[in-house]
Amino acid sequence: MPKVKTKSGAKKRFSLTGTGKIKRKHAYKSHILTKKTTKQKRNLTHAGLVSTADMDRVKLMLQI
């Protein structure tokens, strides 16, 4: 049986924490930043965690 491959897009977007949670970056921080307030941009800087509803789907993509 062949090895199961990780989705390469997911590999680049998610990382695992020490406790097994999955870290993600916020969207809307790459371009068209002039019309966004400083507060919006600052709050999008910090990494977030994947919600429990999406955890199973992300784990399947990462083959965890």
Side-chain angles (χ1 to χ4, degrees):
M1 195 168 175
K3 289 184 185 176
V4 181
K5 289 190 177 181
T6 300
K7 299 269 186 207
S8 58
K11 185 169 49 179
K12 295 166 194 171
R13 286 171 172 81
F14 302 107
S15 61
L16 220 59
T17 63
T19 56
K21 294 174 186 166
I22 301 171
K23 268 196 322 191
R24 65 171 178 83
K25 287 184 114 179
H26 285 280
Y28 308 110
K29 186 74 191 334
S30 58
H31 61 102
I32 315 175
L33 299 173
T34 50
K35 62 175 78 169
K36 294 180 181 112
T37 63
T38 310
K39 184 179 179 180
Q40 265 183 304
K41 290 182 278 191
R42 184 174 61 244
N43 289 337
L44 291 172
T45 301
H46 311 296
L49 294 173
V50 172
S51 68
T52 51
D54 298 322
M55 195 74 81
D56 291 336
R57 278 193 292 275
V58 176
K59 282 185 177 178
L60 194 67
M61 286 193 281
L62 293 173
Q63 298 301 326
I64 298 173

